[in-house]
Amino acid sequence: MSRPWDWSPLDMASDPVPGDPTDIRSSAVAARATGTSIETQSRRLRRLAKAEGWDSESGRTFTTSAEPLADAIDKAKQRYLDLATALDTYADGLEELQRQADAARLDADEAKEARRTADKFVVPGETDPFEIDRQEAARTRAVDLADTDLADAKAVITRLVGTGGDTDGEYGALNDQAIAAIRLAGDDELRDTWWDGVKQVVHDARGVLGAIKDVLNALGPVLAAVGLLVMLFSGPVGWIIALGIAAAAATLAITSVQALAGDATKEDVIADLVGLGMAIVGLQSLNGMKFAVAGATRSIASSSASRAGAARAGAVPARKVETARKTAEEGARNGVFRAADEAGQKPFVVLVDGLLTGGWAELSAVMKLGPGGALAAQMKTMGLRWAVTGGTAGAYSLVTELQQMTTVVAGLLDGTYWEDKKTSVQVGSL
């Protein structure tokens, strides 16, 4: 049923409670149909993921990501169903307020018509003063009743919309409730927040971020080569390993952000975490081997000095024993330290330690300089543990990084590197 367009009986220029409940209910029907369609599609997606014939890398990726994707779609379904409920509730409330407004408008129209009739009322040809007074009293009562009815009708409108338009009164409260219900329908895990904007930035930059990670991964073999050169010239290599740790940490940070944005898997994060762990183990192994070599060298030097001092003391007169013994001990000690330094600088030892044994070749060369005490034996055992640990970590990192470099080089040579990085579909982008 159409509603009145003329609201002048209430001294109003337009409809105080505008809106079309029919259109609103149509929107609710459409939202509910969308929710039902989403439910149907998620159910089909789950069935499709469990079907046979996905024996390919892309197919296996699809079957792995299909279930989480179906779960996300189900969450969207509830958003539309809640929206439909909110719209239906709003349409019902609006329809009731409009019914009351229309009734008030009709009452006001009748009241004004009654007032006009009362104002024009006269008693033609009447001369009896008593009858004239009685008729005047009746006209006055009719006017007062019409004014009261008009005031009551206007009071209904004031209750509905207040004095500030559609932001006050019951109409304003209804609008506020509808807005809150619609917002609540979208207040779920799928809502867009500032983090969604960040995730979009990360996703859009996946090509650049992937290239940065490739550069950081390529630092591993490069730093290993630089480390060998530095070791050949007896330079400190701790800073090189520390730089490798920083590169591994940066790679892990980028992958973690990508995983939060949906552009990397937990397996990618674990792999980078292992890579960082191996780099840290490598630094610890280097420090452990340096400690073991230094301890073994001191032990052998002390034993050699004792033997040399005793031999020298027996070959000189008694008055020169102390001086000769100290001189012999100092010479033997310095000789061991010098020989240990020379053994650690041999190219073969540097290459073997740098590529495979993680310091064991140097420690073995030092142990051949002479018998040591209990400390030397203890350092040998400690050094073996560190060599196995550091060698394993270094080999793992080197093989992993070389594999990654091989893939990168192949992509650069055939011209597909950048497009693959920039356009490859990520799990989270589904």
Side-chain angles (χ1 to χ4, degrees), residues 1-4 7 10 15-25 90-106 156-157 159-161 170-171 174-175:
M1 186 179 73
S2 61
R3 300 186 59 235
W7 291 85
L10 288 167
D15 186 356
V17 283
D20 190 338
T22 301
D23 287 345
I24 296 172
R25 288 195 177 95
Y90 179 63
D92 292 342
L94 179 61
E95 195 169 55
E96 171 59 23
L97 295 186
Q98 288 180 341
R99 185 193 65 76
Q100 296 180 36
D102 293 351
R105 186 252 178 220
L106 181 59
V156 171
I157 299 302
R159 173 173 57 81
L160 294 180
V161 299
E170 294 181 10
Y171 184 57
L174 179 66
N175 288 333

Side-chain angles (χ1 to χ4, degrees), residues 122-209:
V122 294
V123 183
E126 182 63 54
T127 59
D128 184 359
F130 177 79
E131 184 61 23
I132 292 175
D133 290 342
R134 188 181 68 79
Q135 294 292 342
E136 182 62 25
R139 189 189 70 81
T140 301
R141 287 195 300 273
V143 168
D144 291 342
L145 181 60
D147 290 344
T148 300
D149 289 344
L150 180 60
D152 289 344
K154 290 184 176 181
V156 171
I157 299 302
T158 301
R159 173 173 57 81
L160 294 180
V161 299
T163 57
D166 59 4
T167 60
D168 293 335
E170 294 181 10
Y171 184 57
L174 179 66
N175 288 333
D176 291 341
Q177 291 171 3
I179 292 171
I182 293 172
R183 286 177 176 172
L184 184 61
D187 188 17
D188 53 27
E189 296 179 16
L190 299 176
R191 65 185 182 279
D192 292 337
T193 63
W194 68 269
W195 176 242
D196 291 282
V198 174
K199 290 194 294 185
Q200 187 60 48
V201 171
V202 173
H203 182 66
D204 292 341
R206 62 189 180 279
V208 174
L209 294 177

Side-chain angles (χ1 to χ4, degrees), residues 328-412:
E329 288 177 352
E330 186 67 23
R333 185 179 293 106
N334 290 337
V336 171
F337 281 117
R338 187 166 49 253
D341 289 338
E342 292 174 354
Q345 295 173 19
K346 291 180 179 180
F348 175 78
V349 172
V350 171
L351 290 174
V352 172
D353 278 343
L355 295 175
L356 297 173
T357 58
W360 177 251
E362 181 180 3
L363 180 59
S364 298
V366 170
M367 295 299 295
K368 294 177 181 178
L369 297 178
L375 178 61
Q378 181 181 356
M379 292 297 103
K380 183 178 181 180
T381 301
M382 177 188 296
L384 179 60
R385 290 198 300 265
W386 280 121
V388 172
T389 303
T392 302
Y396 172 86
S397 299
L398 187 60
V399 170
T400 301
E401 290 158 354
L402 287 176
Q403 288 176 339
Q404 293 170 340
M405 284 188 65
T406 300
T407 303
V408 170
V409 171
L412 291 173

Side-chain angles (χ1 to χ4, degrees), residues 200-224:
Q200 187 60 48
V201 171
V202 173
H203 182 66
D204 292 341
R206 62 189 180 279
V208 174
L209 294 177
I212 292 174
K213 290 200 296 183
D214 286 340
V215 172
L216 293 174
N217 288 327
L219 281 177
V222 172
L223 291 175

